[in-house]
Amino acid sequence: MFVETNICDKLRAWNIQFNVTHNCLNALLKILQTEGLNVPKDGRTLMKTPPKHTIIQMNNGSYVHFGIEQMVYPILRKHKNDLLNINNLKFGINVDGLPLASSSKSQFWPILMCIVNVKVLSKYVIPIGIFHGFEKPFSVDEFLSFFLIDALSMLENGINVDNTLYNMEIAHIVCDAPAKAFLLKVKSHNAYHGCNTCIDEGVFNKTMTFLTTNIDNSSY
């Protein structure tokens, strides 16, 4: 039975820093084993990669939640030297539907995050959870429930990376019009009362048009 040693921590840090491939990591572990070092045979064991994720059955599909800290921590640790003078991390969130095939209605609805206030980290698109079904999630409350619990905890407690605490805040949420209507539980953008700002009824002439801007101040 494999018993973890201090060298495993060093190998994990090295792997995260240089982002080596699984084949390269496995080859290195094999060499280290031949030299008598107590290391695992497989990189997945070393990196503590979950063998599987829990699939949560929802009303009209299934959902997998990867977790904010689990997905963000390796990135922050890899780029810790780029965060020396940064204590606050601002996140952007995106939710959208993604068709998987033209021959069926199978689709993903991923919840994605990115760090927007650190240039070197802004290239990472971080999946936090993914819903799969043959239509959009039936209940937005059910769809977002695991993410909201996770996000509220991270906003309150931050994330600790090697004894450095980073505070987190949400900078913005970006969605296209259909996804925005879904999240806000309002009429679609092409409905007669589809404007989220004004209270006027639209006029349909090949396309839905709102001719005035009678704003409902009570919505602010």
Side-chain angles (χ1 to χ4, degrees):
M1 180 178 178
F2 167 70
V3 178
E4 186 166 304
T5 58
N6 185 50
I7 192 174
C8 292
D9 287 331
K10 296 178 180 178
L11 287 171
R12 270 193 292 270
W14 170 80
N15 182 54
I16 292 172
Q17 180 180 356
F18 295 103
N19 196 28
V20 299
T21 65
H22 286 297
N23 288 337
C24 177
L25 180 59
N26 288 339
L28 174 63
L29 293 175
K30 186 175 181 180
I31 293 172
L32 294 177
Q33 281 191 328
T34 61
E35 296 297 320
L37 294 176
N38 184 26
V39 295
K41 295 180 180 179
D42 193 279
R44 290 170 293 185
T45 304
L46 175 71
M47 300 306 296
K48 300 181 180 179
T49 303
K52 61 181 180 179
H53 291 282
T54 301
I55 299 177
I56 303 159
Q57 295 302 320
M58 292 190 171
N59 193 289
N60 62 328
S62 54
Y63 176 82
V64 174
H65 189 71
F66 303 119
I68 297 175
E69 182 173 4
Q70 290 83 348
M71 298 301 293
V72 172
Y73 180 89
I75 297 173
L76 298 183
R77 192 173 188 190
K78 177 181 178 181
H79 292 279
K80 191 173 181 181
N81 291 335
D82 299 311
L83 301 170
L84 295 179
N85 298 316
I86 297 175
N87 295 317
N88 296 313
L89 299 175
K90 297 183 179 181
F91 285 81
I93 300 171
N94 171 258
V95 176
D96 199 1
L98 177 67
L100 298 180
S102 58
S103 58
S104 77
K105 294 183 178 180
S106 179
Q107 56 191 269
F108 277 154
W109 278 77
I111 302 173
L112 307 174
M113 296 181 70
C114 66
I115 301 171
V116 299
N117 66 320
V118 183
K119 186 175 181 180
V120 70
L121 301 183
S122 62
K123 64 182 179 180
Y124 291 99
V125 178
I126 308 167
I128 304 302
I130 298 179
F131 171 90
H132 174 263
F134 292 90
E135 58 183 340
K136 68 182 180 182
F138 180 78
S139 168
V140 65
D141 296 319
E142 183 182 44
F143 169 57
L144 292 178
S145 59
F146 293 92
F147 170 74
L148 290 177
I149 293 171
D150 199 3
L152 289 172
S153 175
M154 297 301 295
L155 291 173
E156 181 178 351
N157 302 313
I159 181 170
N160 191 304
V161 180
D162 296 338
N163 296 320
T164 300
L165 181 65
Y166 298 98
N167 297 315
M168 299 176 60
E169 63 180 271
I170 296 175
H172 54 246
I173 301 174
V174 178
C175 303
D176 63 10
K180 178 182 177 182
F182 167 62
L183 295 182
L184 294 178
K185 300 182 184 179
V186 298
K187 294 288 187 180
S188 178
H189 66 289
N190 56 358
Y192 281 99
H193 294 278
C195 180
N196 295 327
T197 303
C198 70
I199 58 175
D200 288 313
E201 183 176 346
V203 176
F204 184 78
N205 183 13
K206 295 184 179 180
T207 184
M208 189 61 67
T209 306
F210 297 90
L211 302 178
T212 61
T213 55
N214 187 12
I215 297 176
D216 179 11
N217 292 321
S218 65
S219 63
Y220 291 90

